[in-house]
Amino acid sequence: VKRCAALQAAVLLAIALVFSGQRSGAQTLPQTRAERSGYTETSSYADVRAFLDSLRTGGAPYEFGILGRSAGGREIPYVIASRPLVRTPEEARTVRGTRPVIFVQGNIHGGEVEGKEALLMLLRNLALERRPNVLDSLILIAVPVYNVDGNEELGPQERNRPDQRGPAIVGRRPNADGLDLNRDYIKAAAPETRAALAMFNAWDPDVFVDLHTTNGSLHGYALTYSPPLNPASPLGQRTREWLAELQERMRTRHSIEAFDYGNFGTDDTPWQERLIHAAATNAWTTFDHRPRFSTNYYGLRGGLAILSEAFSHDPFERRVASTYAFVREILSLAVDPRAAHWRLRYRGSVPASSVPVAARITRNPPIKNVRIEQVELTGDTLRTEPGLRPGVLRTGRFQSVRMPVYDRFDPTVQVQLPAVYVIPARLTGVLEMLAIHGIEAAPAPEVSFVRIDEFRVESLLQEERTVEQRREPRVRGEWVQSALPVAAGDYVVSVTGPRAALIAYLLDPESDDGLLTWGFLDGEVSPGAAFPVRRGVPAARPRR
Ligand SMILES: [Zn+2]
């Protein structure tokens, strides 16, 4: 849809009037493309930039910046919103302790479009509200369209999002290089990921929220959510408490049923069978614990992290509304003086003495009621609505079914946290990745080490299946005392602070999603030899 320049000018003038505090009617508010089209279309990249420009030229009291450039060469816009306005990480640090920093991103998967629309609407509405609101108590960093390239790879919903009820034309899942950005948080192969990690390192948000759409299971929830699923996440349990409160608020304040993210079936159920409905299965199972996924990664950094998944079979307008309500409630909870849970991030920064570096789905799931929409299988080959498979008819009737809920993971490998990891200088790829993850590696201190341990590799196997063009290695072995001293030129990484679990996950040889997993130690590992990254206890703590 081409916009008429005169109309655009009129809209800009109207916005300017709104933000300058003059009288205006509701019809003059800047509208998202979803709103303008009656929720038949979603915003293009150009629409998002134009909407943000409208906010800026209209005088919205925000900082507008660029996260970085995508693989396809597009700038990824972000907005910082707070009153008074905080523009830089340095300014944010001066109000740290009183104001949480909340980072919310939409559209990491290009066809899952409601997070983008909800964030644009939220930025507009928060700026327009005359009364005090959450912006007086927190710092919001919003990235409405993170996967800018995927957003522009438009195609029919039947192809790009087969189990989603509109809009008719949406983007696709990966970025311009074909990478799924929500598998990239450890290997950081995409420029989008590197830009996001640099933003995390600079701002150190207290809460990270990632907005998605479900993949098709016909459950009975308008929105499903997940805490960080890795058992090493320091604030995983704290996040579950937040989510219980958010579930209650969604029900009582918005009449929206929400629940832990999942699909029908168990981990062994073929994916395609999981998607239809519960009739053939009797379990509810979440996704994955590994930190290649955004919220699991952010949890390992010591933060609170929340995955939001709007129900793909709801009409687009309702999905936007559910996502909007959920984000708004997260912001409200983050500043609730009774909750003030976010402060616990810093209490959680004292690392445990040991952490898991590998896990599997729990063998002891709780039994819970799961809400299910009853469906009729008509035997007919006609499609009854977009995103619904032929022969499936929804009824709008719901029932609760008791079933095991596999919503968590149990550790399979637990390691003692060392004082430091010792890294030989030749591992430049490892050292570079640590810097990308915001972890400092310093030249080894000139102090003696009380003890150095090395991991004796007994076996090196590769997984059968190929993931992201790789067969992942698995090593087995044991830690033994090393005969070799720390050499001049070695680097050490202190295992302290909120990121201790992430450091262990990146560097430990038995980690199921570390730097070894992603090839940064290729050629360095062989049976019978020592793993090149060692663990040490210096006589004195190295200077930070
Ligand atoms: Zn997604």
Side-chain angles (χ1 to χ4, degrees):
V1 178
K2 292 252 192 302
R3 266 175 315 178
C4 153
L7 177 63
Q8 192 172 14
V11 169
L12 286 178
L13 176 63
I15 298 160
L17 291 175
V18 170
F19 286 118
S20 64
Q22 300 185 30
R23 279 182 56 79
S24 66
Q27 75 280 3
T28 61
L29 304 180
Q31 300 278 294
T32 64
R33 181 155 172 179
E35 292 170 311
R36 293 198 314 268
S37 68
Y39 290 90
T40 59
E41 297 172 6
T42 187
S43 300
S44 68
Y45 176 69
D47 292 326
V48 172
R49 296 300 297 261
F51 187 95
L52 296 179
D53 282 346
S54 300
L55 292 181
R56 175 171 30 204
T57 53
Y62 295 156
E63 175 73 6
F64 297 86
I66 299 299
L67 187 74
R69 212 170 262 281
S70 70
R74 294 182 178 90
E75 292 177 334
I76 305 165
Y78 70 77
V79 179
I80 297 170
S82 69
R83 287 191 301 236
L85 182 57
V86 167
R87 296 172 192 275
T88 65
E90 292 68 36
E91 287 176 26
R93 246 165 250 136
T94 65
V95 293
R96 211 61 189 245
T98 55
R99 286 179 172 230
V101 178
I102 319 288
F103 187 110
V104 190
Q105 76 183 14
N107 227 85
I108 187 171
H109 290 142
E112 304 173 15
V113 289
E114 49 271 42
K116 171 183 59 185
E117 306 296 345
L119 277 176
L120 294 177
M121 291 164 66
L122 186 64
L123 288 168
R124 174 193 64 202
N125 296 351
L126 287 173
L128 286 170
E129 281 175 7
R130 298 292 166 78
R131 57 191 165 86
N133 64 29
V134 290
L135 294 187
D136 298 297
S137 308
L138 55 68
I139 299 164
L140 170 64
I141 303 175
V143 180
V145 56
Y146 176 53
N147 181 1
V148 287
D149 297 333
N151 191 67
E152 297 304 287
E153 288 294 323
L154 296 172
Q157 159 262 312
E158 291 84 350
R159 186 188 74 207
N160 284 3
R161 292 285 301 157
D163 293 291
Q164 177 169 302
R165 186 167 167 189
I169 303 293
V170 292
R172 64 164 197 178
R173 188 177 181 89
N175 77 347
D177 286 341
L179 291 173
D180 185 335
L181 297 180
N182 201 25
R183 305 291 183 275
D184 198 46
Y185 280 87
I186 291 294
K187 69 183 191 297
E192 292 89 341
T193 312
R194 293 190 176 206
L197 296 185
M199 193 84 173
F200 292 167
N201 294 338
W203 286 83
D204 200 19
D206 298 279
V207 183
F208 168 79
V209 184
D210 197 15
L211 305 174
H212 292 249
T213 317
T214 60
N215 282 340
S217 291
L218 279 161
H219 55 66
Y221 301 102
L223 189 134
T224 46
Y225 48 68
S226 177
L229 293 170
N230 196 291
S233 314
L235 296 186
Q237 183 53 35
R238 179 64 55 185
T239 313
R240 286 183 193 273
E241 291 164 21
W242 268 47
L243 290 169
E245 170 71 17
L246 290 165
Q247 180 187 41
E248 182 65 19
R249 291 184 180 198
M250 292 292 277
R251 181 181 295 130
T252 55
R253 298 181 182 179
H254 307 281
S255 301
I256 290 173
E257 292 294 330
F259 193 62
D260 278 285
Y261 175 82
N263 288 288
F264 295 112
T266 67
D267 227 22
D268 300 326
T269 308
W271 179 246
Q272 291 306 313
E273 285 173 35
R274 283 196 208 183
L275 294 179
I276 302 296
H277 67 107
T281 63
N282 57 356
W284 178 254
T285 305
T286 188
F287 64 108
D288 198 304
H289 68 285
R290 289 172 297 177
R292 64 191 62 180
F293 293 84
S294 64
T295 46
N296 296 336
Y297 172 76
Y298 207 76
L300 276 195
R301 287 180 69 111
L304 270 158
I306 297 174
L307 171 77
S308 166
E309 295 263 356
F311 183 44
S312 67
H313 296 292
D314 270 343
F316 182 34
E317 182 171 9
R318 182 168 154 83
R319 301 202 311 268
V320 174
S322 306
T323 303
Y324 184 100
F326 192 58
V327 174
R328 189 98 206 219
E329 289 299 341
I330 290 171
L331 299 183
S332 149
L333 184 58
V335 301
D336 187 328
R338 289 167 303 158
H341 287 317
W342 61 272
R343 294 172 201 279
L344 291 172
R345 178 161 197 271
Y346 299 98
R347 276 185 233 158
S349 70
V350 178
S353 60
S354 72
V355 293
V357 292
R360 67 167 178 231
I361 196 120
T362 184
R363 303 285 161 89
N364 298 299
I367 308 295
K368 293 184 181 175
N369 279 323
V370 177
R371 195 171 130 101
I372 289 170
E373 180 165 359
Q374 294 172 331
V375 294
E376 285 172 20
L377 302 177
T378 62
D380 189 326
T381 56
L382 293 178
R383 196 180 284 278
T384 54
E385 66 180 49
L388 211 57
R389 294 175 186 199
V392 178
L393 196 62
R394 294 175 66 183
T395 65
R397 294 192 303 272
F398 297 91
Q399 67 181 122
S400 281
V401 178
R402 284 183 77 69
M403 63 178 77
V405 172
Y406 294 88
D407 63 350
R408 61 201 64 206
F409 289 77
D410 297 331
T412 53
V413 178
Q414 186 93 15
V415 297
Q416 293 298 314
L417 282 178
V420 300
Y421 282 100
V422 180
I423 301 166
R426 71 171 186 281
L427 298 184
T428 51
V430 170
L431 293 166
E432 185 200 355
M433 289 308 292
L434 291 172
I436 285 170
H437 286 281
I439 294 164
E440 190 190 354
E446 292 179 11
V447 297
S448 57
F449 275 70
V450 175
R451 185 185 171 99
I452 305 285
D453 287 337
E454 66 186 22
F455 187 82
R456 232 353 83 209
V457 177
E458 285 160 10
S459 66
L460 169 64
L461 298 171
Q462 287 191 306
E463 295 278 331
E464 291 286 314
R465 66 200 172 106
T466 305
V467 176
E468 296 271 294
Q469 292 108 45
R470 272 187 72 75
R471 286 176 61 202
E472 298 180 11
R474 290 275 175 269
V475 303
R476 293 288 173 260
E478 66 174 334
W479 288 97
V480 296
Q481 188 150 4
S482 177
L484 291 175
V486 172
D490 281 351
Y491 284 79
V492 297
V493 174
S494 284
V495 187
T496 56
R499 290 178 208 163
L502 176 63
I503 294 168
Y505 232 93
L506 288 170
L507 292 175
D508 197 278
E510 294 179 282
S511 164
D512 60 13
D513 204 9
L515 296 179
L516 171 65
T517 311
W518 293 108
F520 297 97
L521 286 145
D522 279 359
E524 291 280 350
V525 182
S526 56
F531 189 70
V533 176
R534 296 186 292 166
R535 298 151 46 132
V537 181
R541 283 247 163 191
R543 180 173 51 80
R544 276 194 58 84

